[in-house]
Amino acid sequence: MTDGRTTLTYADLMAAADRIAAALAPRITGPDCRVGIAMRRRPGLVSALLGILKAGAAYVPLDPDYPADRLDFITHDAGLDVVIADDGRLPFASTRPLDVIDPEHLPPPSSAPLRQAGPDDLAYVIYTSGSTGRPKGVVIAHRNALARLAWARDTYSAADLSGVLASTSICFDLSVFEIFAPLGHGGRVVIADTLLALPRLPVAAGVTLVNTVPSLLRELLRHHDLPASVTTVNLAGEPLPPALLEALRADPRGLRIFNLYGPSEDTTYSTGAALHDLPAESGPVPIGHPLPGTRALVRDRAGRLRPDGLAGELHLGGAGLARGYLGRPEDTEARFRPDPFAAASGERLYRTGDRVRRRADGGLDFLGRLDHQVKLRGFRIETGEIEHHLEALPDVAEAVVTVSGAPGDPDRRLVAHVAAKAGASLEAAGLRAALAALLPAHLVPDRWCLLATLPHLPNGKIDRAALPAVEAAEASGVRVAPRDAAESRLAAIWSEVLGVADIGVEDGFFDLGGHSLLAIRIIARIEESFGVDLPLKALFRSPTVAGLAREIAAASRREDDARPQIVPDPAGRHAPFPLTDIQHAYWLGRSSVFELGSVGAHAYREFDVTGLDPDMAEAAILRLIARHEMLSAVVTPEGEQRVLPETPDWRLPVADLRDVADADRQLAEIRARLSHHVFSPDRWPLFHVEAARLDGGRLRLFVSFDVLIGDAWSFRLLAREFADLVAGRDLPPLALSFRDCVLAEKAAKQGLGFARALDHWQARLDDLPPAPDLPMVRTPAQLAEICFRRRSVSLPREDWRAFRSHAASAGLTPTAAVLAVFAEVLARWSRRPAFTLNLTLFNRPPLHPEIGGVVGDFTSSMLLGVDMSGVEAFVDRAKRLQDRLWDDLDHRAVGGIRVLRDLARRQNRPVAGLMPVVFTSTLNQTAPQATDRPFASASSTA
């Protein structure tokens, strides 16, 4: 450890800590005893922290630069009797009697035993600002801090921790990482008064990791003062501006960049995003996924979980959660609430007051403080959005947007405080004009304050209270909001499907996170809402609300072809109903009369769950059987399906393999038996679940699921609902059945939409090439035994992100890009570059609010003619394939199996009706999620 003047080895550090611990020992009266520390940022400060902890006490920071009244308040509020201070002198006049210790003038330590702190004992108390003006002490136990140090060990390399800059006041919990992460793992601490002092630090060349707030780092980068030795940057404490992120990404050394988020009440950090692994994207910079042991739930005002993409308040729980506020039981009860979703009683959640939304990948976007959200002239405004656009302007260094006037004041106005970059000059008129080109009128400030720099608090955050008052200025320009009823209806559809609030009519579909699956959902909603038959390509051709409104106006209205609505029919729930085309193919395909027959199509998974009792698992499965009708379904010999009114008693078979020497062999035998099992379609059940007790409190579930009764979405849905049931959470009522959906789809075949789709495919029959002509060692007819095996290859995460980024830059959706690569490889092996693929479609049209909660096989298929010949570049071939895909998707009402039958009849060759090469993409397929993870601790094996 060093500050450029004094250097301490680990031996020096521990010797000094031992002296302080010995001096404190007689003064420590029991667990949770607190000791104040009022010292300058020198190596001796860290020795004192360690000495307090070694003595079995907790430290309470007293920054000498803080106002005297605030320090005196903390000594009273924390009940301090002992304070360690430089030279034994307090930096404030205390009104409470204090025993002050000078750490530099202590005798050698005695051999008297020290009190050993336990994991639940208090480690430190950090005071944060309170809404009433009185700071509150956040109580952190040793186990909380250890959880974060374990995360640091697993996240940062020895090289990262070999020179960690400690520039944050110990009054802020970023200092916990800066000091204890390197010291806990053999690293080195480089102490500085602030980040901006780093260029003047004699040992700056040894700094490898910087841990700071974005505003301070941005100031450092303005002067190009980030040492060349720095390889890793941690950013936390305030939202990370995209412009700063792009500047860091442009650094030629290839910085590792982490965006970290967390309140003091959850021990420094709660979530994190490794931004160097993520592709560049528009919108807010993600704050990432919960750290190990952390629960992060997004809830609405009523406490209900919010779906992915919708904003809500972030609630945190788990390993880092603080006890509460010192001596403030009312405040603790208000912010630390019981966790109604936890499997165990006594778990709590902290209400952060932060507004977030969960992304499709499970990460979180920070959207601002709930208490910084304002309403102005009826508009709901997030000031962070305006700040983001201001700071993206070329000459703006920092910006803060506030609101003048009291709520309800008719003269209330948005105020922008803006600081220019070094050497740049700003004008309010130019800034207003630039924003008017980017934002709606209600988001353009009409009062401006141009400053050389913005005021900052000691922790580097912007001091909003110190911003100067601003006189009135004239209002700004126009906004691009929905201008008529059609645009308003379209914007509402986009907002619901994309999970993005306040859609502007010129916002781009793909910029808002759109992809082909969401495009299909939006088109379906437009058909439902507007009664207009709009092709899918219209959305890709006109990817804004304004453009799509023009497409709708130009489209013909469907007066006689309204899409059939699904009406639940509980009275007929046990009556037979037809198989879908895909189900019929699965049913026939297991017959031995077909090549590659005698094999059933089913999903098979194994789940290892820790702490789950087999009886609880059985009870949850029985409730799922009672809830989902297709779990009681069979297929009759006549080729119809029906839900049995009664089923035999079902029990979960359990094998006890605890302390069994050949457990691995027995597990392998179960896998071999179940993974190739063929269900008899007319015998219940068409699923199989059994379990094995394993060492370490684990329960392995073996789950086999015939695809006749459900698709991949259904499998994930059942896993989620199983997790909710074993956790004691109730499931919402479900009135809709798969039978209702199948009958509604059958009725749709009488409409004009189906007729138009049929005309499209009849015209395409003569153009569809045969299946890929691939070289085979032997034909299927020559096989003596039929056995299918899964071949799996995983793409590294960084490669997949790079692939998606390249695809997006080329105007390709991820699915279309992967499909093009698949076709390209097939074309290299096929004797002909033109062939037909069989595509799997996940077909759950939004015809009923409960359709996403129904178990059943909603899949369909579509034939796609592929031609990978030509001399143009691969990207051009991929775009041509994507255009063909979008055009055919508009006519997906007629499935691929119907087209195959017509093709076989047209060519009078049964083999023409075989397209055996299937492409299935589950990208962007996410079943509804009720919790962060299906189980407290679970892993799965395919």
Side-chain angles (χ1 to χ4, degrees), residues 271 287-290 296 298 308 357-365 926 929 932-933:
T271 70
I287 58 175
H289 293 74
V298 184
D308 290 357
R357 65 175 171 230
R358 193 178 301 280
R359 299 156 63 95
D361 63 357
L364 296 169
D365 283 336
T926 304
Q929 298 185 10
D932 288 338
R933 296 289 184 267

Side-chain angles (χ1 to χ4, degrees), residues 450-778:
L450 307 183
L451 303 167
T453 59
L454 298 185
H456 289 81
L457 294 164
N459 65 351
K461 294 183 181 181
I462 293 173
D463 187 354
R464 292 175 176 263
L467 293 169
V470 182
E471 296 299 322
E474 60 175 325
S476 57
V478 297
R479 61 184 293 263
V480 188
R483 293 159 291 199
D484 53 36
E487 287 186 346
S488 296
R489 288 163 66 189
L490 270 177
I493 291 172
W494 279 39
S495 181
E496 179 182 346
V497 174
L498 295 173
V500 177
D502 302 326
I503 299 287
V505 298
E506 298 297 341
D507 292 343
F509 172 73
F510 293 103
D511 294 334
L512 296 172
H515 49 72
S516 57
L517 183 64
L518 294 178
I520 291 174
R521 291 177 58 191
I522 284 180
I523 292 298
R525 289 296 311 277
I526 289 174
E527 292 175 2
E528 178 185 9
S529 178
F530 289 84
V532 172
D533 187 9
L534 204 62
L536 184 64
K537 284 197 295 188
L539 179 53
F540 294 86
R541 181 170 59 237
S542 304
T544 64
V545 167
L548 209 53
R550 291 190 291 269
E551 296 273 359
I552 293 173
S556 60
R557 294 205 167 268
R558 298 176 301 156
E559 298 180 356
D560 56 349
D561 194 29
R563 195 162 191 165
Q565 296 298 303
I566 302 178
V567 179
D569 178 24
R573 59 185 301 187
H574 300 302
F577 58 104
L579 296 168
T580 67
D581 284 347
I582 288 289
Q583 286 179 303
H584 194 263
Y586 286 144
W587 178 63
L588 287 179
R590 67 191 68 200
S591 170
S592 60
V593 302
F594 292 96
E595 288 185 351
L596 301 181
S598 302
V599 175
H602 71 286
Y604 176 72
R605 293 289 187 274
E606 296 175 7
F607 299 94
D608 276 7
V609 189
T610 302
L612 178 62
D613 181 76
D615 290 341
M616 292 179 60
E618 181 181 271
I621 295 171
L622 286 171
R623 289 185 63 183
L624 291 176
I625 294 172
R627 174 178 175 81
H628 293 288
E629 295 181 358
M630 287 306 290
L631 295 182
S632 299
V634 296
V635 179
T636 68
E638 294 76 25
E640 290 186 307
Q641 55 189 325
R642 71 185 189 96
V643 176
L644 300 176
E646 294 182 0
T647 57
D649 290 340
W650 184 89
R651 291 292 179 262
L652 176 67
V654 180
D656 194 343
L657 301 183
R658 293 174 292 183
D659 300 322
V660 175
D662 64 344
D664 289 342
R665 180 189 61 78
Q666 294 191 46
L667 291 172
E669 289 178 352
I670 298 174
R671 177 179 300 172
R673 170 170 51 87
L674 296 181
S675 59
H676 296 284
H677 178 67
V678 179
F679 290 93
S680 296
D682 58 346
R683 296 182 58 187
W684 183 86
L686 292 180
F687 64 89
H688 181 87
V689 185
E690 60 184 82
R693 288 181 177 270
L694 304 176
D695 294 333
R698 291 179 300 144
L699 184 72
R700 177 166 298 180
L701 294 174
F702 306 87
V703 183
S704 185
F705 186 91
D706 197 304
V707 296
L708 280 170
I709 61 172
D711 50 18
W713 179 288
S714 302
F715 198 94
R716 295 172 184 169
L717 173 68
L718 289 170
R720 289 291 170 187
E721 293 188 345
F722 176 82
D724 284 340
L725 291 173
V726 298
R729 291 185 283 269
D730 291 331
L731 301 179
L734 183 64
L736 189 67
S737 72
F738 183 63
R739 180 179 183 274
D740 299 328
C741 300
V742 171
L743 295 179
E745 189 67 24
K746 182 181 179 181
K749 293 181 179 181
Q750 307 304 316
L752 291 180
F754 184 85
R756 282 193 294 267
L758 191 58
D759 289 343
H760 167 85
W761 287 109
Q762 291 296 321
R764 291 285 317 281
L765 287 179
D766 292 332
D767 298 330
L768 284 174
D773 189 358
L774 301 172
M776 292 185 287
V777 175
R778 58 178 63 90

